[in-house]
Amino acid sequence: MTSTERPRLAVRSPADLLAAVPYLLGFHPADSVVAVALRGRQIIFAARADLPDPSEDPVERARHLAGVIHRQGAEAATVVGYGPPDRVTPTVDAVRAALAGAGLDVLDALRVTDGRWWSYLCAETDCCPPEGRPYDPTASTVTASAVFAGQVALPDRAALVAKVSPVEGPARAALSAATDRAERRLTELIDEAPASDLLGGRTLRAAGVAAIREAQRRQRRDERLDDDEVAWLGLLLTHLPVRDHAWERTDGRDRDIALWTDVLRRVEPELTAAPGALLAFAAWRAGQGALAAVALERVLDQHPDYSLALLLDDLLRRGVPPSDLDGWPSVGVPGVVRHRKRSRRRRR
């Protein structure tokens, strides 16, 4: 499941809502159920889940989706199912029931199939004919407003996954060579640390702070890190005090998302955990829950026990609003102490 908070879009009709959904999620959904949460007349949140398999009971997934929407402080919601009727209808029905059970008004329930939409709640043939209504999202003023505001709707979720996929070919070979050089540099750095610096911890942190400061300075100037800088930063981020320093300096700014996306795609697979988790945190803080989700999927596929990724995955799945961390880093992340203790127990 992915969730996101996005800038306001003026929605006045079902067609407008359908045009807005891809910009709320960041991509055009398919074989999905989407719940759009409202407070008053304002869209405050959107959450998406895959349609369950035909043999799967949709009730449990529906209850989870409704719980996520309820935690946003929503008053009402509209449900949209994308796909064939035999899969969409039972899922939308289950989500409607779960939302109502959570005390939320269901304003509408829609199905989108092959470029047409139907309403499950409207029986007026003038506005909701049995053959459905065609819609063209590109013709909506909502689409124009979203594009003007800089929002992006990728063709599908696969296109979003591609944004965090590793570079390949000659670029990968160059990064592998740069990582070998960074490892030799790291060995020399630790060997040259003073005897009073146990295991070179202070030396590593100082090098990491300098690398992070330089990376963020370069990002502010729209300058891309070279291969040696990416490999060096990726290696230093495996030291938890360095990772935590980077975390404290990361928020939902565009430059944070751009930096950690670039580093995630370019570092070697064994170094993806920290930059991937930092990207997920930045994307979540920016309200780009779908991007956060695909970044976490990549991290947890390669590093299933990485505590920061597990923490962020838990926040995302529970639908914790990014606004809960307004004031970061002076306010703490819910659950972070618990996850760190759990991580230390595993290492013992």
Side-chain angles (χ1 to χ4, degrees), residues 24-38:
L24 296 168
L25 296 175
F27 62 93
H28 290 266
D31 295 325
S32 303
V33 60
V34 177
V36 180
L38 299 97

Side-chain angles (χ1 to χ4, degrees), residues 178-322:
T179 302
D180 290 340
R181 293 191 293 271
E183 289 174 345
R184 291 193 294 270
R185 179 181 174 186
L186 186 67
T187 299
E188 293 172 0
L189 181 72
I190 295 174
D191 287 345
E192 294 170 0
S196 60
D197 185 4
L198 184 63
L199 301 178
R202 292 196 304 272
T203 300
L204 280 173
R205 189 181 188 283
V209 167
I212 292 163
R213 182 182 298 117
E214 177 62 13
Q216 294 184 324
R217 183 186 68 82
R218 295 277 297 280
Q219 190 64 51
R220 288 194 297 271
R221 297 181 178 183
D222 293 323
E223 298 173 358
R224 194 170 186 237
L225 299 179
D226 64 30
D227 291 345
D228 285 304
E229 290 168 323
V230 167
W232 181 236
L233 178 59
L235 205 57
L236 290 169
L237 285 168
T238 62
H239 186 51
L240 286 182
V242 175
R243 194 279 314 273
D244 287 349
H245 179 76
W247 187 15
E248 290 172 358
R249 295 174 64 87
T250 295
D251 206 341
R253 297 173 292 257
D254 289 346
R255 64 176 182 264
D256 291 333
I257 293 173
L259 172 62
W260 298 123
T261 299
D262 186 47
V263 175
L264 171 62
R265 297 195 66 211
R266 294 168 67 193
V267 293
E268 292 290 89
E270 64 270 20
L271 303 178
T272 55
L278 292 168
L279 169 59
F281 180 73
W284 174 65
R285 286 287 290 147
Q288 298 184 37
L291 177 59
V294 296
L296 289 173
E297 284 174 10
R298 183 163 176 220
V299 171
L300 292 172
D301 182 60
Q302 296 173 317
H303 310 276
D305 295 326
Y306 194 66
S307 59
L308 179 56
L310 291 171
L311 166 67
L312 296 173
D313 186 61
D314 179 57
L315 294 180
L316 207 65
R317 289 179 183 277
R318 289 191 291 114
V320 175

Side-chain angles (χ1 to χ4, degrees), residues 90-154:
T91 304
V92 168
D93 286 346
V95 174
R96 286 171 55 193
L99 289 168
L104 295 165
D105 291 332
V106 179
L107 302 181
D108 208 342
L110 308 173
R111 170 169 61 86
V112 178
T113 309
D114 297 331
R116 290 178 174 267
W117 64 267
W118 288 259
S119 172
Y120 290 96
L121 303 186
C122 177
E124 300 294 332
T125 56
D126 289 344
C127 62
C128 301
E131 69 275 14
R133 294 182 66 91
Y135 81 102
D136 179 5
T138 63
S140 171
T141 57
V142 170
T143 301
S145 298
V147 172
F148 182 76
Q151 294 176 253
V152 175
L154 296 173

